[in-house]
């Protein structure tokens, strides 16, 4: 039976960089999830007769939230919801399923790389029929609906057994429970030379994949171990846990410390990788060499043609503005276009749909292609393995060849987390107010050549997105970007992105932080980060 529950708007339900992310306890408050889900339905013109995909990264509350969303979809007239078994789907697998099954959209329950558990984070995001995160035009409508909501609809019904594959009935709506891995794996097999990777591994190549107790575990075991022959145990932390084993499922050198230690230790395997909570991010490490996400994007762009799915070359590439210019250098050499978008995978969707870009990537450990409309952690790992199998080189050799050919872009991001929002906003506003005066001024040993507030004019739909980060370029080519994160759930996170191109071959083996020291000094001189925040050092340096 459908019931109508009266409700009132709840403040702060504005989707950020990637959906609505809040503390789990907040999401579990009566009506909180329900208000947001009803607002999604309202923001997309209702769900009557529609088919949706539903899945999540397995974090705490994932299972309960799935049942609530199913009942609400049924009550509002959806025809069918396709759900990953046990309500699990990695973000790229959800994107693929939406596209494969021609669904009208999908809901992904995840706060991505943020920790999970009753005291940590939960999130919900809506993806549209192209499989990608809803663009701002849609999220703005959803947000508007959260501000005027008066009621939501739900169904009085028992929980569906989401462990049982097959089709179940919920009121008049069908709930199809599918294996989360099968269709995704089939897609990967069309893109990559599995035989070549299998032969590489059979020849003694060793790998270690850290699933960080998050959703990619089952995918990585099925593909890397069962199908490609990596030794059992090559995938570690493979079982998704509601609290990610109390870890922080963010694949970077800080949070994937174990993997870094292994890869820099004696007897390191040839290749290491990790993925995040919902499986869309990746980290790549060779024996004794960490590959920055920006470099990874550039290497993948330079070598993608070695994989069957990209043998015809790339139509273009795209990066988020704070991502290093390394991929631009590859694009220039290949004579293809490189686009710079605001942070947020949703901005790549139009470029991919319009066939302007084949590969996209972000400094925040996301890379992907037009095979889905999300970034894809395991896809990046498989492309790397395909490239290594084709080039018959180590990760370190690939990197050195790459830098020798294109130059090395030293790159790092410094994060100041959970700082006071007012201080963070004032810091950015003050800098924004001085942008016109900065060109020509000295900042430490560097001189500002350009300073601008990044605005994106979408070449496909003509939409303009402003205030997407402050970009300061220095004479000689170093670059500094400052912006506030749109995914944090506590105070503000200030992100400071630093880069410098080095073309002298004998200067390409420096420590990245040392190589970037002049840019760090310039950032402090221009933005007074440490003075204003009272912090003496960043919380995270990637
Ligand atoms: C999300 C977005 C990415 C973005 C990242 C960081 O990733 O999809 O496009 O780069 O957040 O965003 P911010 O700098 O605003 O925190 P994920 O993996 O969290 O979904």
């Amino acid at each position: 039976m459908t019931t109508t529950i009266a409700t009132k708007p709840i403040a702060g339900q504005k989707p950020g960089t990637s959906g609505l992310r809040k503390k789990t306890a907040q999401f579990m408050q009566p009506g909180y999830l329900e208000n947001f889900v009803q607002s999604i339905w309202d923001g997309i013109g209702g769900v009557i007769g529609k088919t949706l995909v539903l899945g999540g990264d397995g974090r705490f509350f994932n299972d309960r939230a799935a049942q609530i969303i199913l009942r609400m979809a049924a009550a509002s007239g959806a025809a069918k919801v396709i759900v990953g078994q046990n309500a699990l789907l990695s973000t790229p697998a959800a994107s693929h399923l939406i596209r494969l099954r021609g669904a009208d959209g999908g809901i992904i329950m995840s706060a991505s790389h943020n920790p999970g558990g009753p005291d940590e984070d939960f999130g919900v995001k809506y993806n549209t029929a192209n499989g990608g995160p809803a663009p701002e035009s849609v999220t703005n409508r959803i947000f508007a609906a959260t501000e005027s909501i008066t009621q939501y609809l739900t169904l009085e019904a028992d929980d569906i057994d989401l462990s049982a594959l097959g089709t179940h009935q919920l009121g008049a709506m069908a709930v199809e429970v599918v294996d989360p891995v099968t269709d995704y794996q089939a897609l990967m097999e069309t893109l990559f030379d599995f035989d070549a990777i299998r032969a590489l591994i059979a020849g003694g190549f060793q790998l270690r994949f850290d699933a960080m107790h998050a959703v990619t575990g089952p995918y990585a075991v099925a593909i890397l171990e069962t199908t490609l022959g990596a030794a059992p145990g090559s995938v570690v932390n493979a079982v998704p846990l509601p609290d990610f084993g109390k870890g922080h499922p963010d694949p970077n050198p800080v949070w994937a410390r174990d993997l870094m230690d292994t890869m820099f230790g004696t007897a390191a395997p040839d290749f290491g990788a990790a993925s995040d909570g919902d499986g869309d991010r990746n980290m790549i490490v060779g024996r004794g060499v960490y590959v920055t996400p920006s470099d990874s994007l550039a290497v993948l762009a330079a070598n993608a043609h070695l994989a069957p799915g990209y043998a015809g070359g790339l139509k273009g590439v795209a990066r988020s503005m704070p991502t290093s210019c390394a991929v631009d250098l590859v694009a220039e050499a290949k004579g293809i276009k490189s686009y710079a978008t605001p942070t947020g995978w949703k901005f790549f969707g139009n470029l991919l749909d319009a066939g302007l870009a084949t590969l996209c990537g972000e400094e925040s450990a996301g890379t992907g292609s037009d095979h889905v409309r999300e970034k894809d952690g395991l896809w990046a790992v498989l492309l790397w393995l395909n490239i290594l199998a084709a080039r018959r080189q180590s990760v370190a050799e690939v990197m050195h060849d790459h830098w020798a050919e294109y130059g090395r872009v030293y790159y790092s991001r410094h994060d100041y987390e959970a700082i006071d929002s007012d201080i963070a906003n004032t810091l950015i506003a003050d800098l924004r107010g001085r942008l016109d005066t900065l060109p020509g001024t000295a900042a430490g040993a560097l001189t500002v050549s350009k300073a601008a507030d990044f605005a994106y004019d979408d070449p496909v739909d003509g939409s303009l997105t402003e205030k997407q980060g402050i970009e300061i370029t220095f004479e000689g080519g170093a670059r500094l970007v400052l912006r506030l994160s749109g995914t944090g759930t506590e105070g503000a996170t200030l992100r400071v992105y630093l880069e410098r191109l080095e073309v002298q071959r004998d200067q390409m083996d420096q420590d990245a932080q040392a190589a970037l020291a002049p840019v760090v000094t310039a950032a402090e001189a221009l933005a007074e980060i440490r003075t204003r925040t009272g912090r003496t050092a960043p919380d995270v340096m990637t």
Side-chain angles (χ1 to χ4, degrees), residues 457-478:
D457 204 350
D458 188 305
V460 179
D461 67 14
S463 60
L464 180 69
T465 311
E466 294 179 289
K467 298 192 174 170
Q468 293 300 306
I470 291 174
E471 186 180 20
I472 298 174
T473 312
F474 299 96
E475 284 172 13

Side-chain angles (χ1 to χ4, degrees), residues 17 21 112-113 281 345 362 364 375 483 485-487 495:
T17 305
R21 290 189 193 168
S112 189
H113 55 289
R281 297 185 175 204
W345 202 264
E362 295 186 288
S364 57
K375 52 189 184 273
R483 62 178 280 279
S485 158
T487 58
R495 303 207 194 280

Side-chain angles (χ1 to χ4, degrees), residues 209 211-223 235-240 378:
F209 181 94
M212 303 187 90
H213 294 298
V215 79
T216 19
Y219 295 83
V221 170
I223 295 174
V235 180
V236 297
N237 302 321
V239 178
L378 210 41

Side-chain angles (χ1 to χ4, degrees), residues 119-182:
D119 301 323
E120 300 293 352
D121 295 348
F122 191 76
V124 169
K125 69 172 175 168
Y126 180 73
N127 282 28
T128 49
N130 74 347
E136 302 229 308
S137 54
V138 176
T139 55
N140 287 343
R141 284 204 299 275
I142 294 171
F143 178 52
T146 69
E147 292 188 301
S148 59
I149 187 167
T150 56
Q151 60 178 44
Y152 65 83
L153 302 184
T154 185
L155 200 72
E156 274 175 31
D158 290 338
D159 283 358
I160 295 285
D161 179 3
L162 295 178
S163 68
L165 296 176
T167 300
H168 311 248
Q169 207 60 32
L170 184 60
M173 185 181 88
V175 177
E176 184 186 344
V177 180
V178 299
D179 181 273
V181 179
T182 310

Side-chain angles (χ1 to χ4, degrees), residues 268-477:
D270 299 280
F271 181 82
S275 193
D276 71 332
D278 61 332
D280 56 2
R281 297 185 175 204
N282 74 89
M283 177 171 95
I284 303 294
V285 208
R287 184 183 289 141
V289 54
Y290 164 69
V291 182
T292 69
S294 293
D295 270 353
S296 179
L297 173 63
V299 168
L300 296 184
N303 294 283
H305 60 277
L306 298 174
Y310 307 93
L314 307 177
K315 295 170 188 152
V317 291
R319 63 171 171 89
S320 67
M321 180 275 282
T323 303
S324 97
C325 299
V327 73
D328 299 359
L329 304 173
V330 175
E332 204 182 335
K334 287 189 179 289
I336 56 174
K337 198 152 176 179
S338 181
Y339 297 85
T341 62
T343 295
W345 202 264
K346 58 193 171 196
F347 292 100
F348 293 134
N350 280 346
L351 298 173
L352 295 168
D353 284 347
L356 295 175
T358 307
L359 240 59
C360 305
E362 295 186 288
E363 52 66 39
S364 57
T367 16
S369 84
D370 57 2
H371 69 291
V372 289
R373 293 294 180 273
E374 287 277 4
K375 52 189 184 273
D376 188 344
L378 210 41
W379 167 90
V381 170
L382 290 168
L383 182 48
W384 260 97
L385 290 174
N386 198 146
I387 291 167
L388 294 175
R391 291 183 63 124
R392 303 241 150 233
Q393 282 182 309
S394 68
V395 175
E397 286 163 347
V398 169
M399 292 316 300
H400 282 99
D401 281 4
H402 188 91
W403 294 332
E405 187 168 352
Y406 300 99
R408 177 172 183 183
V409 183
Y410 284 106
Y411 187 84
S412 182
R413 187 182 86 197
H414 292 187
D415 289 342
Y416 296 82
E417 294 177 344
I419 56 178
D420 181 273
S421 296
D422 288 341
I423 292 176
N425 288 327
T426 309
L427 185 153
I428 293 288
D430 285 355
L431 195 55
R432 188 173 276 139
R434 288 165 42 222
L435 288 179
D436 289 348
T437 66
L438 292 183
T441 57
L446 302 178
T447 304
V448 176
S449 57
K450 270 196 285 183
D453 202 355
F454 181 66
Y456 180 60
D457 204 350
D458 188 305
V460 179
D461 67 14
S463 60
L464 180 69
T465 311
E466 294 179 289
K467 298 192 174 170
Q468 293 300 306
I470 291 174
E471 186 180 20
I472 298 174
T473 312
F474 299 96
E475 284 172 13

